[in-house]
Amino acid sequence: MIADLSSSPSGSGFVRTSRDGAVLTVTLDRPDQLNAQTPATWSALADVGASLDDDVRVVVVRGAGRAFSAGLDRSMFDTSSTTHGGLGELVRLPVEEAQERIRAYQAGFRWLRSSGVVSIAAVQGHAIGAGAQLALACDLRVFAEDAQLRLPEVTLGLVPDLTGTSTLVELVGYSRALELCLTGRAVSAAEARAIGLATAVVPGTELDDVVGDLTAALLAPPAGASRATAALVRSAVRNDFPTQDAAERAAQVERLHDLAGGR
């Protein structure tokens, strides 16, 4: 059964959600603006993350229309404006308050790697700036052949600040991440697949089917084993060998006890 959880674009930063069993789909729903994002978008995303229940196992993030997301809404860039959430307002805030505001924005992205869920970005067309960082925030990314990912913040005198740098380095390594961030150049779908940014690249007409197949494959193993394995893979990125080995031992013993108890 598919349940529509939120379909109010004006009240939710143009974010829609729908639920089909253990799968939650989050859709940026501003296609006439190529799903350009605002602070309301990030607040809405954070609210979705905060409302997750234990039965959700896969989160699919999409963009309505022909683009995943073209990045930050242009109205936010005017440093002379006092528009709520815009760069002009951030400039006028005390430093600590401005940083706290950005921390709240980042919360709309970080939850996509929450324990207990696996997130998939279904990317078509442009994924620029905040759009690129939203795709990077997910565990997996399926690209349509026309997808392009770009982090142009440095060319605007800014930096990526929506969790993008850490996830990019995890995916492609230090040198490649540095080059992509400092040049702001576009990465095609084919290159994204070659360097490890894209899990798969498919014709645009097949994007929904491939994401559906991947979702089904992720749901096939028992939930407990799947969640424990995902937690191990995530911790392996930063743990040293002895710490990770210990984590594997502890997780396996817990799984054995769960199996013995019929859970």
Side-chain angles (χ1 to χ4, degrees), residues 63-83:
R66 60 191 177 91
F68 181 73
S69 173
L72 185 64
D73 188 289
R74 289 188 177 276
S75 67
M76 300 290 106
F77 281 102
D78 185 356
T79 56
S80 65
S81 171
T82 58
T83 300

Side-chain angles (χ1 to χ4, degrees), residues 191-205:
E191 182 183 0
R193 181 71 179 92
I195 65 177
L197 276 177
T199 308
V201 174
V202 300
T205 55

Side-chain angles (χ1 to χ4, degrees), residues 8 25 32 46 96 210 251:
S8 173
T25 299
D32 57 326
E96 294 80 6
V210 171

Side-chain angles (χ1 to χ4, degrees), residues 7-135:
S7 57
S8 173
S10 60
S12 63
F14 297 94
V15 172
R16 267 192 301 116
T17 60
S18 62
R19 176 79 173 269
D20 184 3
V23 182
L24 177 69
T25 299
V26 181
T27 304
L28 302 186
D29 193 17
R30 200 183 181 195
D32 57 326
Q33 298 294 322
L34 300 182
N35 299 313
Q37 300 176 37
T38 68
T41 310
W42 307 328
S43 177
L45 289 170
D47 288 345
V48 173
S51 68
L52 283 181
D53 64 67
D54 291 341
D55 292 330
V56 175
R57 291 181 57 187
V58 176
V59 176
V60 178
V61 180
R62 299 179 174 278
R66 60 191 177 91
F68 181 73
S69 173
L72 185 64
D73 188 289
R74 289 188 177 276
S75 67
M76 300 290 106
F77 281 102
D78 185 356
T79 56
S80 65
S81 171
T82 58
T83 300
H84 178 67
L87 300 185
E89 184 190 27
L90 283 177
V91 167
R92 289 164 178 77
L93 291 174
V95 170
E96 294 80 6
E97 190 174 341
Q99 291 186 10
E100 180 63 18
R101 182 74 63 82
I102 296 171
R103 184 204 64 77
Y105 297 161
Q106 292 170 334
F109 293 67
R110 273 293 175 215
W111 70 270
L112 287 162
R113 295 201 180 189
S114 299
S115 60
V117 301
V118 176
S119 53
I120 306 170
V123 183
Q124 79 283 5
H126 294 299
I128 300 173
Q133 292 181 82
L134 183 59

Side-chain angles (χ1 to χ4, degrees), residues 162-174:
L162 296 171
T163 75
T165 55
S166 60
T167 51
L168 185 63
V169 171
E170 280 182 10
L171 291 167
V172 303
Y174 162 78

Side-chain angles (χ1 to χ4, degrees), residues 235-236 238-249:
S235 66
R238 294 179 179 84
N239 283 349
D240 59 27
F241 290 159
T243 303
Q244 187 64 15
D245 291 350
E248 290 181 1
R249 295 193 296 270

